[in-house]
């Protein structure tokens, strides 16, 4: 079973850069999107054999998530069930027979860390939400988590120490998520590999591979025996992020 996650940084823009061909090429069972930046009916997009589920932000052209699934879920829910968090279209949960699939676009702490306090509340509430799900059946979380966990996960850790996505606070929250019974699937399989999933559009960052690994598949620890592979599709263009992949047996 193949799962793909991709922050498309505007699905309508990405659609003009070959998204549909890439979707078909990757041939996933579940294809999760973040930062769709859409409202309902702004793009006519569907794929044979897939159902799609969308969570739109109240604010037009902002945030948003989606999942295309070949498999019929038992149930679908949107958001975290907390009003403070549920107006920006940041999460979708599919309940499958033997696991939960959650895709999320985690809030950015932003320039000057002006949204860091909110980000801390989000991280804590997301962790609690995942733990509740995990008590019922294993969880697969994917998406743009907007944090590079360790120094190996970004090109320039020293100069980014207090920048959004690499603050001590955000990294600690990710460590607490892992300590709560979850695993970073890519790092579990590739402990020393340096690959990135996001590059700034500035300073020819992608050309220089000056990137960050901020897109993840995080899974309940008890799913580890089922993980066949975890990879990052660094050669795929169309967004400032590239798709990440998880294959479960």
């Amino acid at each position: 079973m193949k799962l793909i996650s991709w922050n498309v940084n505007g699905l309508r823009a990405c659609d003009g850069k070959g998204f549909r061909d890439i979707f078909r090429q990757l041939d996933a069972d579940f294809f999760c999107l973040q930062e769709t930046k859409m409202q309902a009916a702004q793009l006519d997009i569907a794929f044979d054999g897939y159902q799609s589920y969308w969570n739109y932000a109240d604010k037009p052209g902002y945030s948003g998530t989606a999942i295309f699934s070949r498999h019929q879920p038992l149930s679908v829910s949107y958001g975290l069930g907390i009003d403070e968090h549920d107006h920006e279209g940041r999460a979708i949960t599919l309940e499958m027979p033997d696991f939960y699939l959650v895709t999320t676009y985690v809030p950015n702490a932003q320039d000057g860390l002006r949204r860091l306090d909110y980000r801390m509340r989000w991280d804590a509430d997301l962790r609690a939400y995942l733990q509740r799900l995990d008590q019922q059946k294993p969880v697969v979380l994917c998406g743009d988590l907007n944090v590079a966990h360790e120094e190996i996960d970004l090109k320039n850790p020293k100069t980014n120490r207090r920048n959004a996505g690499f603050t001590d606070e955000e990294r600690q929250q990710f460590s607490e998520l892992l300590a709560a019974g979850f695993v970073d699937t890519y790092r579990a399989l590739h402990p020393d590999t340096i690959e990135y999933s996001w590059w700034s559009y500035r300073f020819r960052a992608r050309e220089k591979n000056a990137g960050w690994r901020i897109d993840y598949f995080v899974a309940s620890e008890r799913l580890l025996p089922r993980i066949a592979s975890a990879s990052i599709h660094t050669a795929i263009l169309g967004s400032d992020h590239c798709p990440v992949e998880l294959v479960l047996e």
Side-chain angles (χ1 to χ4, degrees):
M1 180 180 291
K2 181 192 284 191
L3 302 92
I4 293 287
S5 177
W6 193 9
N7 179 323
V8 291
N9 192 13
L11 182 56
R12 286 169 294 171
C14 191
D15 192 46
K17 301 174 185 176
F19 173 79
R20 297 177 202 229
D21 289 339
I22 294 166
F23 183 99
R24 296 184 183 100
Q25 167 196 330
L26 290 173
D27 191 29
D29 293 278
F30 299 92
F31 204 118
C32 303
L33 307 181
Q34 305 86 43
E35 207 171 0
T36 55
K37 295 184 177 179
M38 277 175 46
Q39 303 300 118
Q42 285 190 311
L43 181 67
D44 183 12
I45 187 165
F47 297 95
D48 289 344
Y50 290 85
Q51 294 291 322
S52 62
Y53 308 91
W54 301 80
N55 195 2
Y56 305 106
D58 293 353
K59 178 181 175 181
Y62 180 73
S63 189
T65 49
I67 300 178
F68 292 88
S69 174
R70 276 184 172 142
H71 306 278
Q72 182 68 37
L74 302 178
S75 66
V76 183
S77 58
Y78 300 90
L80 302 184
I82 298 172
D83 186 69
E84 180 183 24
H85 301 314
D86 289 351
H87 294 274
E88 297 184 351
R90 291 190 179 273
I92 302 172
T93 301
L94 302 190
E95 180 186 0
M96 306 308 297
D98 59 346
F99 67 96
Y100 287 100
L101 174 61
V102 182
T103 194
T104 187
Y105 175 41
V106 169
N108 192 300
Q110 298 189 347
D111 293 340
L113 303 180
R114 61 184 183 273
R115 217 178 185 201
L116 182 61
D117 288 345
Y118 172 67
R119 166 65 183 269
M120 292 298 98
R121 296 194 298 276
W122 166 278
D123 282 350
D125 290 338
L126 175 63
R127 183 173 66 251
Y129 176 74
L130 297 174
Q131 287 178 286
R132 289 195 298 273
L133 295 180
D134 190 51
Q135 290 173 359
Q136 302 172 55
K137 60 182 77 173
V139 176
V140 175
L141 168 72
C142 70
D144 176 359
L145 304 190
N146 256 319
V147 60
H149 185 217
E150 303 289 357
E151 291 193 354
I152 192 176
D153 295 318
L154 72 167
K155 179 72 171 180
N156 297 304
K158 290 182 172 56
T159 55
N160 282 293
R161 177 74 187 278
R162 284 301 295 166
N163 286 344
F166 198 61
T167 62
D168 293 346
E169 294 91 335
E170 291 163 303
R171 295 170 67 194
Q172 177 60 31
Q173 289 277 10
F174 192 86
S175 294
E176 290 182 20
L177 175 61
L178 300 185
F182 298 92
V183 62
D184 173 353
T185 60
Y186 177 85
R187 193 53 74 206
L189 270 61
H190 309 283
D192 303 311
T193 303
I194 297 174
E195 283 188 302
Y196 308 123
S197 65
W198 172 78
W199 303 261
S200 171
Y201 279 134
R202 303 169 66 194
F203 312 120
R204 297 177 15 234
R206 192 157 191 171
E207 180 183 328
K208 299 174 183 176
N209 199 29
W212 299 48
R213 188 176 73 94
I214 59 176
D215 301 271
Y216 295 83
F217 276 96
V218 172
S220 298
E221 284 179 348
R222 60 192 185 278
L223 286 176
L224 262 176
R226 291 184 56 188
I227 296 174
S229 65
S231 53
I232 302 176
H233 291 280
T234 56
I236 291 180
L237 306 178
S239 168
D240 52 350
H241 296 249
C242 72
V244 295
E245 175 183 307
L246 179 69
V247 177
L248 295 176
E249 294 176 342

